[in-house]
Amino acid sequence: MFRQAKYVISRVRKMDTRRMRAVARELSGKARKPAFWLFMDMVYCGFRYGAGYMDYRLFEFYRRGRAQRATYLTRSRSNALIAKYNRPDRAALVENKLSFCRLYERFLGRGWLDITVAGAEELAAFLAKNPVFFAKTPDGMCGSGVLKITVDHGEPPEALRERMRSSNHTLWEEPIQQHEALTRLCPLAVNTVRVMTLRLGEETHFLKAFLRMSNGREVDNLNAGGFAAPIDLETGVISLPAADKDGLSYETHPVSGEPIVGFQIPFWKECLAMVREAALAEPEVRYLGWDAAITPRGPVLVEANSLPGHDICQLPAHLPDHLGMLPQIEKLERDYELSMR
């Protein structure tokens, strides 16, 4: 009893109660419930389902019953899944953009340069070929740490290198030309396909797939104001309206006016085949979110995420039955365990 009480106290101390109270006040009108009740319900959901206050808000737990809440892949459950399937030191190689380029180079479909080791001739050749390119920090996340560089021919290559090294933008990449169909849908950014996979034994399972789109910025990341629409894994067709983290839905793209529902992802079978092959490259990182771009010649990898995100796959607008994705994963695990007996 003493240990249990000590555990509860330690968990409560780690909670951001100030932010929780603010979220409770924010949701009170929408939920038609007192803020204090919502705050206490958040605490309960933290202990019972491993849901943080952001999960509570995003997944609309204040509208869900116990049976529905139990199906969600919450932050705590997501972290446990990541710890189970992704060895930290190998996952770090996948997350680092420079080591990612080395591991998955055959899937990149574009030139890249590590300016910390490139010779003067390599540097000059890259700049001559790419008057516009992207400079990235190896540890950038959620669309951060990316600069679009237009070469100033008055600036010596070595001076540009040192300027980029000083801000840790040490990975230079050739721009990706996306497929014209995706450009019509959203011309502001390279709109990437997110495919979530879980590898059990020798088999790679596709869990979910989404098209991530920009909503006025040069990045398509959900955490940077973008939105996502679910893709039917069998057909590659967008099956439901896009949604963002503010709860807004989009049947047509607000910038281009193009329909989102019914949009066919080009080279869909090739995209899944590429991801399936790429998933074999690092056998100790088995739960991943792959970001692929579709070019006029086919799919290319942009990056892989060993922290694949539990938000994009459970947006309320995409769950008409209000059930999360945890049962899908648990069934795959049960079936695999049975097959190993």
Side-chain angles (χ1 to χ4, degrees):
M1 181 68 71
F2 174 75
R3 285 185 178 179
Q4 186 176 8
K6 189 176 180 180
Y7 169 74
V8 170
I9 292 170
S10 69
R11 285 289 301 271
V12 171
R13 283 178 175 172
K14 291 178 181 178
M15 291 180 176
D16 187 347
T17 55
R18 182 188 63 81
R19 184 60 184 145
M20 289 170 65
R21 288 194 298 270
V23 171
R25 290 192 297 271
E26 172 197 337
L27 296 176
S28 181
K30 185 186 296 186
R32 296 183 179 179
K33 293 175 181 175
F36 179 74
W37 186 96
L38 292 169
F39 176 84
M40 295 307 297
D41 195 38
M42 277 185 227
V43 174
Y44 170 78
C45 288
F47 285 104
R48 182 66 181 84
Y49 309 107
Y53 66 84
M54 293 178 69
D55 290 340
Y56 189 90
R57 178 182 182 273
L58 180 63
F59 302 147
E60 299 180 346
F61 266 24
Y62 51 91
R63 293 177 173 167
R64 310 289 171 244
R66 291 185 178 183
Q68 293 170 327
R69 289 173 170 184
T71 67
Y72 279 78
L73 185 65
T74 60
R75 179 173 295 279
S76 178
R77 290 168 172 175
S78 176
N79 289 343
L81 198 65
I82 290 163
K84 181 178 181 179
Y85 289 113
N86 296 344
R87 200 177 105 179
D89 59 329
R90 303 306 300 178
L93 294 177
V94 174
E95 288 291 333
N96 182 281
K97 289 179 169 55
L98 280 169
S99 53
F100 171 84
C101 287
R102 297 187 185 99
L103 277 169
Y104 300 97
E105 184 165 20
R106 67 184 184 277
F107 305 108
L108 298 183
R110 61 190 180 279
W112 63 279
L113 196 67
D114 178 355
I115 65 169
T116 65
V117 298
E121 291 185 2
E122 287 181 281
L123 194 72
F126 181 90
L127 294 174
K129 183 180 178 183
N130 301 291
V132 177
F133 66 92
F134 289 92
K136 300 180 179 181
T137 58
D139 58 353
M141 297 180 68
C142 300
S144 66
V146 180
L147 296 176
K148 186 177 182 179
I149 305 296
T150 300
V151 176
D152 178 358
H153 294 287
E155 182 179 26
E158 288 300 332
L160 177 58
R161 186 211 299 258
E162 289 310 309
R163 183 159 63 86
M164 291 295 99
R165 284 187 68 164
S166 68
S167 59
N168 198 34
H169 288 82
T170 54
L171 171 61
W172 294 1
E173 288 190 1
E174 175 185 339
I176 295 172
Q177 180 187 359
Q178 74 175 342
H179 193 281
E180 61 179 10
L182 286 159
T183 298
R184 285 197 304 271
L185 182 63
C186 178
L188 302 172
V190 174
N191 306 283
T192 57
V193 171
R194 166 67 62 88
V195 181
M196 297 179 67
T197 61
L198 176 62
R199 185 178 174 191
L200 298 173
E202 296 303 311
E203 186 173 357
T204 298
H205 299 273
F206 297 110
L207 301 175
K208 301 279 186 181
F210 299 85
L211 179 64
R212 307 190 310 168
M213 289 164 277
S214 163
N215 190 12
R217 300 179 61 182
E218 290 190 341
V219 294
D220 63 356
N221 195 282
L222 199 67
N223 294 306
F227 46 78
I231 303 169
D232 184 280
L233 284 166
E234 293 295 324
T235 64
V237 174
I238 292 179
S239 54
L240 290 168
D244 62 20
K245 294 184 77 169
D246 290 326
L248 300 176
S249 296
Y250 306 84
E251 292 198 11
T252 60
H253 197 285
V255 175
S256 68
E258 291 288 316
I260 293 174
V261 178
F263 181 84
Q264 173 69 58
I265 306 298
F267 295 108
W268 181 243
K269 290 183 179 179
E270 291 84 351
C271 182
L272 292 185
M274 177 188 69
V275 168
R276 190 185 298 277
E277 185 180 352
L280 302 175
E282 187 45 73
E284 293 182 279
V285 186
R286 294 182 283 162
Y287 176 51
L288 286 162
W290 304 90
D291 292 340
I294 310 299
T295 77
R297 300 182 301 278
V300 299
L301 278 186
V302 177
E303 62 184 32
N305 302 272
S306 64
L307 308 171
H310 65 294
D311 50 5
I312 189 174
C313 52
Q314 300 176 123
L315 296 173
H318 301 152
L319 302 175
D321 55 4
H322 308 305
L323 300 177
M325 69 177 294
L326 187 60
Q328 177 189 8
I329 294 172
E330 291 177 336
K331 183 180 186 305
L332 288 173
E333 291 178 322
R334 286 195 305 270
D335 290 347
Y336 174 69
E337 290 171 3
L338 286 172
S339 72
M340 296 300 291
R341 292 179 182 175

